Amino acid sequence: MIGPHRKTSRALPRFVLACIAATLAALVAACGTDYFEIPIETPIQPKLDVSPFQRVLVIGFVAGGTDDVDANQETVRLLRSQLRTKSSLKVIDADILPLIEVARDQSQQAPADDSNGPRGEGSAPPRPANGNGNGVGERIQGVSLPSNIKDEKDLEPYERLFANTAYWKRIGEEFQNPLIVTGTVLFTNRSTSGFVQRDQETFDSLGRRRVMPMRTYMERKGFILRPKFVFIDGRTGATMYSESYREEILYNAQQNTPALSSYFELMDRLVPNFLSALSSQKIRGTRVLLK
Amino acid sequence: MNTRLVAIVASAAVLAAAPSFADAKKDAKSQVEFGISVAQRGLWREAIYRWEKATQIDPSYAAAYNDLAIGYEHEGQLDKARKAYEKALELDPNNSQVRQNYELFKEINDRTAQKDK
């Protein structure tokens, strides 16, 4: 007698629970979900008004740091190719200027040269490659420029080059007043050591996967990329806008990653920011719509 | 006697108003639902129109303001989006989903504000 009675008393709560679960399921089905995840694309207006320009000239960068990558050449090539596909401006294909040499030429010009007077109209902008000199107001006077740029301090004196409006105006005249993109790029090695938290995957005796955070001592090496983009109005030679960035990447010390691939990996992170100064961008995300 | 009459009239008015208030809520909800269905098909302007209508019908409808904010965000109308999010949070300050949407929006908005400096 006891057995069947027990069975009934156990079965009843199960039946009640099943009924409650079925009712809840029916309610949920009747009401539907109250929220919906939806992808959105937020358009961001460009920082610069580029409407006066039809063309853009990425002329060159004062570059320093590791010798493994020619940061001037690579940055110009990358930005030109990005602008070709992601901006409405026509990209001018011109020789890349070695701006370090331009800046050095400007600094080495003796004040006595002032007596030569300004350059005549129509003369080419100063280019060390073809031996053209610099006119009045086109030199970084009295500033000693380090021959080897290894860090930000070395780079600092070169910044005056971007304030030389007469120089940039003449570059602009030569290329029919485009928007000029220039700046500095510092791509340096970095090595560090210390404790790093990493997720370690383990499997127990039943084959179940577990991920545990582990603190391990690691020696790492990598690179730091510090570009500064300067946007110059080719009509006036004046700086319209500039922005600086810093990106870093570190690998296990045993990993041998080529400098050039690290450079591109870091530039990939920065290019959307660079482009957002010139052209409208869309930022993708998801939001929750509610009923 | 007068007091009783006033009370009766007031009760009648409340009872008469109650269904229309319920209707308004229902109408606002159907506008929001329609807005969601068209937004899911990419018709964001129509969705915004519906959600704006919902907030006009029921100005206390937090979800409608939340959805409207998302619509504005998608259209790049960031000032309007911020105001709509803030209204949604004012009406329903404990709604974690509205708050999460607003936080994500602020990340973008702050980025553009930084650029303007």
Side-chain angles (χ1 to χ4, degrees):
Chain A
M1 281 301 283
I2 291 167
H5 175 74
R6 274 191 183 163
K7 201 176 175 182
T8 314
S9 66
R10 276 185 188 173
L12 189 66
R14 272 188 206 159
F15 176 71
V16 172
L17 281 174
C19 283
I20 291 168
T23 313
L24 280 174
L27 271 172
V28 168
C31 298
T33 47
D34 279 344
Y35 63 90
F36 303 88
E37 222 171 73
I38 193 156
I40 66 160
E41 285 185 347
T42 310
I44 302 294
Q45 292 307 308
K47 166 64 192 162
L48 288 173
D49 176 16
V50 293
S51 58
F53 305 100
Q54 276 84 49
R55 307 184 321 145
V56 60
L57 172 64
V58 185
I59 190 80
F61 291 84
V62 176
T66 174
D67 295 330
D68 297 339
V69 172
D70 184 341
N72 180 23
Q73 295 273 337
E74 298 300 343
T75 306
V76 170
R77 277 160 53 181
L78 180 69
L79 296 185
R80 281 182 184 176
S81 88
Q82 289 290 321
L83 286 167
R84 260 184 217 110
T85 53
K86 289 167 187 159
S87 105
S88 56
L89 295 165
K90 188 177 182 296
V91 179
I92 299 170
D93 272 315
D95 291 342
I96 301 169
L97 280 190
L99 287 182
I100 291 179
E101 290 171 39
V102 172
R104 279 185 204 145
D105 265 20
Q106 291 186 9
S107 77
Q108 280 162 12
Q109 282 285 325
D113 283 2
D114 285 355
S115 59
N116 294 337
R119 294 159 60 88
E121 271 188 23
S123 48
R127 288 188 189 192
N130 59 19
N132 283 337
N134 300 314
V136 170
E138 289 178 356
R139 64 184 61 98
I140 309 168
Q141 289 175 354
V143 179
S144 65
L145 298 171
S147 54
N148 204 1
I149 300 172
K150 286 291 168 200
D151 55 29
E152 279 174 315
K153 265 192 177 173
D154 296 337
L155 207 53
E156 216 177 281
Y158 286 91
E159 298 257 349
R160 297 184 187 211
L161 174 66
F162 309 117
N164 190 342
T165 50
Y167 172 75
W168 293 111
K169 193 178 174 188
R170 285 209 295 113
I171 295 262
E173 278 166 5
E174 193 193 349
F175 292 97
Q176 289 89 48
N177 305 328
L179 171 67
I180 299 169
V181 178
T182 180
T184 60
V185 183
L186 195 60
F187 184 61
T188 49
N189 290 301
R190 169 147 161 76
S191 58
T192 180
S193 56
F195 283 95
V196 183
Q197 187 160 313
R198 303 171 74 194
D199 287 339
Q200 185 145 346
E201 193 180 46
T202 54
F203 292 90
D204 64 13
S205 55
L206 296 170
R208 286 175 300 199
R209 179 179 170 271
R210 280 185 186 175
V211 178
M212 301 280 284
M214 299 280 282
R215 277 174 65 80
T216 47
Y217 184 84
M218 273 183 78
E219 281 186 7
R220 297 188 298 166
K221 60 178 186 178
F223 298 92
I224 302 174
L225 180 64
R226 275 171 286 205
K228 179 182 180 181
F229 303 117
V230 180
F231 300 88
I232 292 172
D233 186 336
R235 299 165 301 176
T236 62
T239 297
M240 297 168 72
Y241 176 63
S242 70
E243 53 188 12
S244 302
Y245 297 98
R246 184 190 187 281
E247 285 291 340
E248 178 179 325
I249 195 162
L250 287 169
Y251 311 96
N252 190 325
Q254 280 78 49
Q255 198 176 327
N256 198 8
T257 309
L260 191 59
S261 75
S262 298
Y263 164 84
F264 282 115
E265 200 170 338
L266 293 171
M267 275 304 277
D268 260 4
R269 300 180 195 168
L270 297 170
V271 162
N273 290 317
F274 166 78
L275 290 171
S276 70
L278 297 172
S279 54
S280 61
Q281 298 291 304
K282 283 190 172 176
I283 299 177
R284 291 199 180 101
T286 50
R287 301 287 184 272
V288 178
L289 292 169
L290 303 172
K291 261 190 191 177
Chain B
M1 183 67 184
N2 274 349
T3 318
R4 194 177 289 175
L5 190 66
V6 168
I8 290 167
V9 170
S11 307
V14 168
L15 286 172
S20 66
F21 181 66
D23 283 349
K25 286 243 174 204
K26 203 177 161 188
D27 191 17
K29 194 171 169 73
S30 69
Q31 293 288 344
V32 163
E33 285 173 358
F34 188 78
I36 291 171
S37 71
V38 291
Q40 285 171 327
R41 281 181 275 149
L43 304 168
W44 283 93
R45 286 195 183 160
E46 177 65 21
I48 288 171
Y49 171 74
R50 297 292 166 174
W51 294 327
E52 278 175 345
K53 216 167 172 187
T55 59
Q56 285 158 14
I57 296 166
D58 182 3
S60 65
Y61 196 175
Y65 281 102
N66 170 76
D67 297 353
L68 186 56
I70 294 168
Y72 285 144
E73 206 183 337
H74 188 273
E75 293 297 294
Q77 301 178 43
L78 301 187
D79 277 346
K80 281 185 171 181
R82 184 176 46 78
K83 282 176 192 161
Y85 274 129
E86 283 170 359
K87 184 71 182 171
L89 279 172
E90 184 192 310
L91 293 167
D92 191 358
N94 299 320
N95 192 315
S96 59
Q97 282 164 325
V98 177
R99 193 158 290 281
Q100 188 191 323
N101 284 335
Y102 185 49
E103 292 300 324
L104 291 168
F105 160 76
K106 277 204 297 185
E107 261 181 46
I108 292 173
N109 202 37
D110 290 351
R111 205 189 295 180
T112 52
Q114 251 178 12
K115 274 168 57 181
D116 290 340
K117 278 177 192 172

